[in-house]
């Protein structure tokens, strides 16, 4: 069975329900993981997602801020609840679909100052990574697991528009890159999008709204990720090569999110 997992920071699910419907019609995801839904559970447009063919929904909502959700074509089962956000924000939701655990994250952006002592938001971001890394270190690497979402770090030289200029900007600073590397090592995760589209190709999933033409300036960052455990690698490579991509055309749509969806295919 093909299992297409997509992640998208939708930047308000109620504003972009029609765009979500268009994306689902065009790309046929089996599991759509959303971040920054910006609504409480009762306000989530369930009917719209049911009409899209994604009737199985799990939501962690919050009034006006944050919020994550997973909508699936296939039935969902419970997954472990991860207490990795010290502030109690709605930043993580998990399910199991077709035997695969999927944990969907909206990791804090971290503010503007890359200093833990001076900036509580940056400290919170690194604390989130540390708690998640400690959790993943306890897991069985042979179990099929995908961690997806807006992880708010562009880890590689080719994941940012300018490696040199971004090293002092939150999202690509050495402490964040190190925190993300530690998480990756904790369970031996594979960055499946980079397996499909390797360095040195530049690859972005976020572009600022400040640019009148995001493609012309192309000052993007790859903040949205799909990582898989060793237990899911066989499903990712069963057809011989990784199938994953950034759907950057969605960023061209009218009144888009500043993030583009990212997808990966598995045969489970």
């Amino acid at each position: 069975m093909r299992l297409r997992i997509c992640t998208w920071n939708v930047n308000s699910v109620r504003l972009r329900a029609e765009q979500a419907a268009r994306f689902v019609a065009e790309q046929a995801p089996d599991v759509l993981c959303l971040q920054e839904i910006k609504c409480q559970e009762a306000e989530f447009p369930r009917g719209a997602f049911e009409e899209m063919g994604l009737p199985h929904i799990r939501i962690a909502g919050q009034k006006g801020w944050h919020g994550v959700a997973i909508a699936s074509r296939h039935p969902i089962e419970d997954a472990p609840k991860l207490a990795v956000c010290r502030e109690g924000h709605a930043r993580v939701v998990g399910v199991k679909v077709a035997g695969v655990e999927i944990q969907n994250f909206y990791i804090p952006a971290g503010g503007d100052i890359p200093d833990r002592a001076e900036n509580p938001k940056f400290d919170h971001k690194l604390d989130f990574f540390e708690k998640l890394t400690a959790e993943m270190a306890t897991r069985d690497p042979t179990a099929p697991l995908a961690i997806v979402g807006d992880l708010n770090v562009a880890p590689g030289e080719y994941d940012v528009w300018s490696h040199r200029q971004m090293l002092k900007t939150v999202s690509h600073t050495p402490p964040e890159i190190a925190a993300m590397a530690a998480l990756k090592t904790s369970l031996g995760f594979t960055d499946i999008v980079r397996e499909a589209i390797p360095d040195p190709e530049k690859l972005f999933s976020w572009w600022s709204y400040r640019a009148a033409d995001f493609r012309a300036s192309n000052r993007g960052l790859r903040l949205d990720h799909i990582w898989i455990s060793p237990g899911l690698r066989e499903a990712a490579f069963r057809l011989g090569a990784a199938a994953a991509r950034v759907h950057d055309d969605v960023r061209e749509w009218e009144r888009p999110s500043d993030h583009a969806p990212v997808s990966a295919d598995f045969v489970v």
Side-chain angles (χ1 to χ4, degrees):
M1 181 181 88
R2 187 211 71 171
L3 186 69
R4 175 168 291 168
I5 299 174
C6 295
T7 177
W8 188 9
N9 180 323
V10 74
N11 195 4
S12 179
V13 68
R14 289 176 291 178
L15 283 179
R16 297 195 169 83
E18 290 185 7
Q19 291 193 4
R22 176 179 171 183
F23 177 73
V24 169
E26 292 181 1
Q27 301 299 331
D30 298 290
V31 183
L32 181 58
C33 300
L34 302 172
Q35 304 87 42
E36 272 201 282
I37 62 172
K38 295 184 178 179
C39 68
Q40 299 176 85
E41 182 173 348
E43 299 166 324
F44 189 88
R46 284 180 175 270
F49 282 82
E50 290 168 356
E51 290 180 9
M52 294 175 211
L54 302 175
H56 307 284
I57 303 169
R58 187 66 53 86
I59 303 161
Q62 186 171 342
K63 185 177 181 179
W65 298 94
H66 317 311
V68 286
I70 299 175
S72 173
R73 194 173 306 279
H74 308 293
I76 59 178
E77 300 176 57
D78 291 339
K81 293 185 177 181
L82 305 185
V84 291
C85 179
R86 74 181 185 195
E87 305 296 332
H89 299 161
R91 292 186 178 273
V92 56
V93 66
V95 298
K96 288 185 178 179
V97 179
V100 177
E101 180 181 346
I102 303 166
Q103 294 285 352
N104 176 27
F105 298 96
Y106 175 45
I107 289 182
D112 297 325
I113 303 169
D115 186 292
R116 296 187 80 158
E118 293 184 27
N119 179 6
K121 291 182 178 180
F122 192 71
D123 181 62
H124 179 210
K125 181 176 192 173
L126 294 184
D127 182 78
F128 194 112
F129 270 105
E130 289 161 1
K131 285 182 167 60
L132 181 55
T133 298
E135 164 66 27
M136 291 298 114
T138 69
R139 295 297 196 93
D140 176 3
T142 66
L145 166 66
I147 63 173
V148 313
D150 180 359
L151 305 188
N152 256 317
V153 178
E157 178 178 352
Y158 303 104
D159 298 328
V160 293
W161 65 273
S162 171
H163 173 60
R164 180 180 61 82
Q165 294 184 66
M166 288 296 300
L167 279 172
K168 294 183 179 179
T169 301
V170 173
S171 71
H172 190 63
T173 65
E176 294 166 282
I177 293 169
M180 190 172 235
L183 174 59
K184 192 174 184 182
T185 300
S186 66
L187 198 64
F189 285 108
T190 296
D191 178 348
I192 197 63
V193 178
R194 269 302 180 198
E195 288 286 323
I197 309 164
D199 293 345
E201 182 172 338
K202 291 271 192 181
L203 190 62
F204 311 141
S205 64
W206 172 92
W207 297 262
S208 172
Y209 283 131
R210 289 193 291 270
D213 184 338
F214 82 98
R215 287 207 187 275
S217 63
N218 204 29
R219 293 192 171 196
L221 305 173
R222 188 169 72 99
L223 303 178
D224 305 273
H225 301 273
I226 299 175
W227 287 7
I228 62 170
S229 68
L232 196 53
R233 275 188 64 92
E234 184 179 348
F237 291 90
R238 202 179 300 277
L239 299 180
R245 59 172 290 201
V246 178
H247 299 265
D248 57 356
D249 58 302
V250 175
R251 184 63 174 78
E252 299 174 345
W253 295 356
E254 186 176 353
R255 298 184 66 204
S257 170
D258 45 357
H259 294 255
V262 177
S263 70
D265 290 357
F266 304 90
V267 179
V268 297

